[in-house]
Amino acid sequence: MSRLPHPSGLTRRPKLGNFVSMGWGPDDSPPEVTSRLEAARLEFDAQARRFEAAKARLQVTLDQVREGRPQREILHNSAFARLQARLETMPVIEQAKGILMAQHRCGPDEAFDLLRRASQSANVRINVLAERLVEQVASPESQTNGGGPSTAGVRSLPSR
């Protein structure tokens, strides 16, 4: 905006009044403000569409739960359910890490790295590998054999 002449001969900026609260600055012209308002409206519309899509996905998941869909299908469609399933597998993974820490005398990060690499090498999910390891250690056969539990798949990987 250009400066308006002041009666005293000095130039001054015009008073913006309510326009300041709308985001107008001293250098903004009405087309710039209009384009900002249009951009804000478009962003709001995009967020509203994302919200409606998320709401629809949640409704589908709720309907599936009510219809008694298989758990695997529900887990596939629901981020919350996938997170819940992940929380359910954490204890067995922590147990497997403890076993590896004791066997290999390493820290928790290195034990998880061993478990992760064995999982990738065998193409088996970490929680499945952890369950197998914990079951093997907990089985009476491994305790009566005298030796420690066999973690051949994990032990064969090079350690750090």
Side-chain angles (χ1 to χ4, degrees):
M1 284 184 142
S2 62
R3 295 176 184 236
L4 300 175
H6 191 270
S8 68
L10 300 173
T11 60
R12 67 174 178 84
R13 291 183 184 242
K15 290 187 177 180
L16 298 176
N18 290 337
F19 295 119
V20 171
S21 64
M22 291 176 35
W24 276 42
D27 298 326
D28 290 338
S29 64
E32 290 173 2
V33 172
T34 303
S35 67
R36 285 186 193 172
L37 288 172
E38 180 64 19
R41 186 187 63 77
L42 292 173
E43 177 61 26
F44 175 79
D45 290 344
Q47 287 180 357
R49 284 191 300 275
R50 287 191 297 267
F51 171 76
E52 289 300 323
K55 185 177 164 185
R57 287 192 307 267
L58 178 60
Q59 186 60 50
V60 167
T61 301
L62 289 172
D63 292 343
Q64 288 177 344
V65 168
R66 286 187 195 114
E67 293 172 7
R69 299 274 183 174
Q71 183 179 6
R72 186 172 195 89
E73 185 177 337
I74 293 170
L75 290 177
H76 179 73
N77 294 326
S78 170
F80 174 74
R82 284 193 304 270
L83 213 115
Q84 197 170 21
R86 186 174 172 198
L87 284 172
E88 291 171 2
T89 62
M90 285 181 72
V92 74
I93 292 172
E94 291 299 316
Q95 289 173 349
K97 278 174 42 180
I99 292 167
L100 292 173
M101 288 167 58
Q103 285 182 345
H104 296 274
R105 300 188 190 281
C106 61
D109 291 337
E110 189 176 349
F112 184 78
D113 191 51
L114 286 169
L115 192 60
R116 180 187 55 79
R117 287 187 288 148
S119 167
Q120 289 174 346
S121 174
N123 197 23
V124 176
R125 295 181 72 126
I126 287 180
N127 63 318
V128 173
L129 186 63
E131 285 175 10
R132 290 178 186 168
L133 180 62
V134 170
E135 286 174 7
Q136 190 174 15
V137 169
S139 72
E141 298 163 359
S142 68
Q143 294 172 358
T144 58
N145 289 341
S150 171
T151 55
V154 176
R155 192 178 297 145
S156 65
L157 291 173
S159 59
R160 286 184 160 191

